[in-house]
Amino acid sequence: MNKRVGASIIAGGILLIAIVFQVINVFTTDEDSENMASMFSGSEKPQEKVIEQGSASKRIVQLNLEGTIMNNPGSNPNPFSGGGYQHEQFLKKLETIKEDPSIKGVLLHVNSPGGGVYESAEIHDKLLELKEADKEFYVSMGSMAASGGYYISTPADQIFASNETFTGSLGVIMENVNYQELANEYGVKFNTFKSGKYKDIMSPTREMTEEEREIIQTLVDDSYEEFVDVISNGRDLPEERVRELADGRIYSGKQAAENGLVDQIGFQEDALQALKEQIGGNPQVIEYKNSVGSFFNLPLAESFLPNSEVRYIEELISERQGPKLMYLYSE
């Protein structure tokens, strides 16, 4: 069986389970829903793991952000979320750091092509709160820290990247698939009832009008302006210079250092050493353990499907949300 077909079948089964649980949610009370969400996501404070011994009154937290920055739709978790980025858990870790006076510094390792505009803005605001709480904040970029991955890095006191890092892709994208011609070829017809002229804007069953394109482009432009402001303020760069750089192109770490998007060339251990020197003394280094994950976490699927197929399933699941504004580098 073709692996892609097999992955689609598995995704279909998972979506069916998700639909069943959405129906169950209709008949549950708010208290029941909160209890279920707590059980599935793990509402307890993140557990700590000491990486390097040192002063418990001067601590550094190492955080990793791996994968696409997206929240799972609805209250039901992504069945594969145990192996990738988990938005609510990440925000919870940032809140824990902010409230802990013994934590003096944060090293965020970013390895992400970006993600949702909304989710990226949530993280960015939380990181600004850390700085307001007098936490030193450094970023170490992995193989990729593009678009939303760069957006969330902008508040950092120092950004490290390797020469080989892919970063940049500064901008916004929103897209959908139109299969009108394919449907016409096979005689598939659609009946649409709508309450307003633009209710089915970006419908995959018809071409967009020029007026609709202008509406969507306005949304993209508004988010782009926010991106430009975030870079200009975070990196202390003139707005005109940011617009020159933020044309969507990708940069190597070396190029990013030359144009002012990152501060230093180095790896995660280099960024950690620089942060330790900035804080002074002999700070303890910790990280937070991830919680068990969702009730639907299916490690079995990952054992017989390659990573590319698991990512394909994740994409199918996320597409249920419809088109979204994204700070995302698309390969």
Side-chain angles (χ1 to χ4, degrees), residues 287-305:
E287 66 180 13
Y288 292 127
K289 301 176 183 177
N290 286 328
S291 62
V292 175
S294 83
F295 177 76
F296 298 110
N297 192 19
L298 301 178
L300 179 60
E302 293 180 320
S303 68
F304 66 81
L305 287 174

Side-chain angles (χ1 to χ4, degrees), residues 26-66:
V26 173
F27 297 99
T28 57
T29 66
D30 291 341
E31 183 178 355
D32 291 335
S33 298
E34 289 175 2
N35 290 337
M36 290 174 67
S38 175
M39 179 175 65
F40 293 150
S41 64
S43 61
E44 71 284 350
K45 289 181 63 174
Q47 293 184 334
E48 298 178 2
K49 178 182 178 182
V50 176
I51 304 300
E52 293 184 20
Q53 295 293 341
S55 172
S57 63
K58 281 188 172 183
R59 305 201 296 165
I60 293 173
V61 176
Q62 283 194 159
L63 291 177
N64 290 317
L65 194 157
E66 301 270 349

Side-chain angles (χ1 to χ4, degrees), residues 70-91:
M70 291 282 288
N71 200 3
N72 299 320
S75 60
N76 296 319
N78 182 331
F80 292 89
S81 63
Y85 173 70
Q86 299 178 36
H87 189 63
E88 293 302 325
Q89 278 196 31
F90 190 77
L91 294 179

Side-chain angles (χ1 to χ4, degrees), residues 9 12 22 48 70 89 104 146 167 199 212 217 255 271 286:
I9 293 172
Q22 287 175 354
E48 298 178 2
M70 291 282 288
Q89 278 196 31
K104 306 302 183 183
T167 187
K199 183 59 179 174
E212 288 172 332
Q217 188 61 51
Q255 291 170 334
I286 67 168

Side-chain angles (χ1 to χ4, degrees), residues 150-289:
Y150 186 82
Y151 184 104
I152 66 171
S153 302
T154 55
D157 298 297
Q158 290 283 306
I159 300 177
F160 284 71
S162 74
N163 285 320
E164 297 76 23
T165 296
F166 272 4
T167 187
S169 187
L170 310 175
V172 190
I173 188 169
M174 187 176 186
E175 59 186 356
N176 75 328
V177 176
N178 186 293
Y179 46 74
Q180 180 185 23
E181 293 185 11
L182 180 64
N184 291 341
E185 182 178 344
Y186 288 94
V188 179
K189 298 184 181 300
F190 301 90
N191 297 314
T192 302
F193 304 89
K194 55 185 181 178
S195 58
K197 181 179 179 181
Y198 302 113
K199 183 59 179 174
D200 64 339
I201 197 168
M202 292 192 78
S203 167
T205 65
R206 65 173 179 81
E207 290 293 325
M208 293 182 69
T209 66
E210 285 303 313
E211 192 174 2
E212 288 172 332
R213 290 184 181 277
E214 290 179 6
I215 292 172
I216 297 301
Q217 188 61 51
T218 299
L219 296 176
V220 171
D221 291 344
D222 286 347
S223 292
Y224 175 76
E225 292 298 324
E226 176 65 22
F227 205 158
V228 169
D229 288 343
V230 160
I231 299 172
S232 180
N233 293 330
R235 300 299 301 163
D236 194 25
L237 289 172
E239 183 180 315
E240 297 77 15
R241 177 55 177 158
V242 173
R243 292 184 186 279
E244 292 175 3
L245 297 171
D247 60 2
R249 77 182 68 186
I250 201 78
Y251 298 104
S252 69
K254 179 181 178 181
Q255 291 170 334
E258 292 171 350
N259 61 35
L261 291 176
V262 307
D263 296 293
Q264 299 192 48
I265 296 298
F267 295 98
Q268 187 172 6
E269 56 268 27
D270 300 310
L272 177 59
Q273 182 60 37
L275 181 54
K276 289 163 69 174
E277 292 174 0
Q278 176 64 27
I279 292 173
N282 182 31
Q284 184 184 78
V285 182
I286 67 168
E287 66 180 13
Y288 292 127
K289 301 176 183 177

Side-chain angles (χ1 to χ4, degrees), residues 107-126:
L107 175 59
L108 175 60
H109 182 68
V110 180
N111 193 23
S112 171
V117 165
Y118 179 84
E119 292 89 344
S120 299
E122 273 194 302
I123 295 172
H124 179 268
D125 286 354
K126 286 288 185 183

